[in-house]
Amino acid sequence: MTRPETAPVRPGEELPLDALREAMRGRVAGDVDDLSALQFPGGFSNLTYLVRAGDPARGGQEYVLRRAPLGPVPKGAHDMVREAHLLEKIHPVLPVAPRPALIVEDPAVIGSPFYLMERRHGTVVRTRLPAEYRDLPDAARRMSGALADTLADLHAVDIDAAGLRDIGKPEGFNARQVSGWAGRWRRAREALRDTGDLPAPDDLNDERVIAWLEAHTPPESAHTLVHNDFKLDNLMLDPADPGRVTALLDWEMTTVGDPLVDLGLTLTYWTMPELPGGAPNEVGAASPGFLGRDELVARYAARAARHVTSDPQSHLAALERALPWYEVLGHFKLAVIVIQIFARYRAGQTSDPRFAPLAGQAGWLIREAWRRIREQDARA
């Protein structure tokens, strides 16, 4: 059975519809006097809602509202105003990026700055092949190709022509990635110091992972748009064609930097088995019909090579030599993301039961990063 795309709003995460109605009045299309909201329940970070202004069957409009999670958030994180302004620039040059419709910076309206964007329709694939694709014999391969191709197209955006170069500092990007994520990890770990949720540092090898990343940081391979959380369930796919992407979502951490940081994190998601406390993962490199890790890299390289070289094979060989560092960084970044969410859960800032196993998942990711480092050092 296919999981519903939306659900009733979780208790404690309701929107103040009266205030939202007045913020929308005269600024967006639709009957704001007939305003309702449901929640997209799949995400683990920002809160995302389906807002209806009138009945869509009678000319009403649907919007997606995004706001930061409840409770204190790290400085600079969950900046929905920045995300919306980025989409204003990215949408015209990369149509899979949704168009923002309204940006509200005043936190007094709903408790946090937020924005509305156009609603896109499509299928989001998480850990299982959805029912609409199960009778398509090549569905898994087609969506695998769409994943690789969309990432390559994202990295092909002309950041200068689109006015996007100044959204980040590409020089020194990789070194800042390591120092920034290491600082976030250490702060979250300190917040959990007396809880027993994480193994001791010497058992987990987290500081050894950080030291290896610091010691082996490469120069940037190129300067491109970087999504920073590119994965299959941030794509919406055509329900009738799993090879066609209708939307790329979650642009919060987008910047300009090294495109292989994106590819490394994508491969982290793509090659993960079931994590502690998580749902069985039937989507990705280890599942029948999907592109394996090496095939996904080759597909990405073939499409990306059109923009950087006339020799796809040399481009693929260079990617494979470079990728181990980026894949270790991908595992470490994802560990930081989930431990930050778990720390908020442990502090009582959210009661979402999905967050309970995240400390175990963070620990697995750190141990996997360390295992890969030892393999890489053994080959060196």
Side-chain angles (χ1 to χ4, degrees):
M1 183 176 179
T2 303
R3 181 182 178 181
E5 186 182 10
T6 58
V9 178
R10 287 186 290 263
E13 297 179 355
E14 297 87 356
L15 290 172
L17 292 182
D18 288 342
L20 179 60
R21 179 180 296 109
E22 294 312 309
M24 295 172 62
R25 191 181 299 280
R27 302 174 69 185
V28 297
D31 181 5
V32 298
D33 289 318
D34 181 17
L35 201 64
S36 63
L38 294 168
Q39 193 165 32
F40 293 97
F44 273 48
S45 183
N46 300 299
L47 300 178
T48 307
Y49 303 84
L50 172 62
V51 175
R52 289 187 172 128
D55 184 350
R58 299 179 179 180
Q61 296 292 315
E62 292 185 327
Y63 301 96
V64 175
L65 183 151
R66 280 174 57 79
R67 57 149 292 168
L70 303 176
V73 298
K75 183 179 179 181
H78 308 287
D79 189 341
M80 294 295 93
V81 171
R82 177 181 182 272
E83 177 175 295
H85 286 307
L86 282 176
L87 287 174
E88 288 180 321
K89 293 184 176 182
I90 295 170
H91 169 76
V93 295
L94 193 71
V96 293
R99 180 183 59 82
L102 174 66
I103 304 171
V104 177
E105 301 190 27
D106 183 0
V109 177
I110 68 167
S112 170
F114 69 95
Y115 75 97
L116 299 176
M117 64 180 173
E118 63 174 331
R119 188 192 183 186
R120 297 283 182 93
H121 292 272
T123 297
V124 176
V125 180
R126 300 193 188 277
T127 59
R128 299 182 63 191
L129 201 63
E132 55 263 46
Y133 296 149
R134 289 177 195 156
D135 292 332
L136 299 177
D138 59 347
R141 190 169 192 86
R142 286 159 69 184
M143 71 177 65
S144 301
L147 179 74
D149 292 350
T150 302
L151 183 60
D153 291 347
L154 168 75
H155 293 158
V157 168
D158 186 330
I159 57 176
D160 292 309
L164 289 163
R165 181 173 288 273
D166 63 356
I167 69 171
K169 298 177 181 178
E171 295 79 8
F173 176 78
N174 289 344
R176 290 196 307 276
Q177 284 280 295
V178 177
S179 62
W181 290 104
R184 295 180 192 101
W185 173 265
R186 287 164 175 152
R187 288 190 291 274
R189 178 168 194 122
E190 178 63 20
L192 298 170
R193 180 181 56 182
D194 299 324
T195 66
D197 292 303
L198 287 174
D202 287 345
D203 295 329
L204 192 57
N205 291 308
D206 51 345
E207 289 297 331
R208 291 185 178 93
V209 170
I210 293 170
W212 185 88
L213 287 167
E214 290 172 339
H216 295 84
T217 303
E220 288 70 44
S221 65
H223 295 163
T224 74
L225 203 59
V226 174
H227 183 275
N228 255 328
D229 195 24
F230 191 90
K231 54 181 178 172
L232 185 61
D233 64 359
N234 271 333
L235 297 182
M236 298 186 79
L237 306 175
D238 185 334
D241 180 3
R244 189 177 82 84
V245 176
T246 60
L248 171 56
L249 308 173
D250 201 359
W251 294 84
E252 173 197 347
M253 296 189 289
T254 300
T255 187
V256 169
D258 189 333
L260 296 191
V261 168
D262 261 349
L263 183 56
L265 183 61
T266 299
L267 292 173
T268 295
Y269 285 113
W270 195 245
T271 59
M272 277 197 305
E274 178 182 356
L275 290 175
N281 188 9
E282 301 174 7
V283 171
S287 299
F290 289 89
L291 293 181
R293 182 262 182 208
D294 294 349
E295 292 175 302
L296 192 77
V297 172
R299 175 77 177 236
Y300 169 87
R303 195 170 183 97
R306 299 181 307 174
H307 308 290
V308 297
T309 178
S310 59
D311 184 356
Q313 287 304 117
S314 68
H315 185 55
L316 175 59
L319 274 183
E320 289 289 15
R321 288 192 298 270
L323 272 174
W325 185 86
Y326 294 92
E327 290 180 87
V328 170
L329 177 65
H331 281 74
F332 180 65
K333 283 176 60 175
L334 186 52
V336 177
I337 291 169
V338 299
I339 203 63
Q340 286 181 314
I341 296 170
F342 178 80
R344 290 181 52 246
Y345 171 79
R346 201 69 162 84
Q349 295 165 7
T350 176
S351 59
D352 192 328
R354 296 176 302 153
F355 300 162
L358 292 188
Q361 294 182 16
W364 182 90
L365 287 157
I366 293 292
R367 287 190 291 270
E368 177 64 10
W370 180 239
R371 184 189 69 78
R372 288 168 178 257
I373 286 170
R374 287 183 296 168
E375 286 186 350
Q376 180 67 14
D377 289 347
R379 287 194 293 264

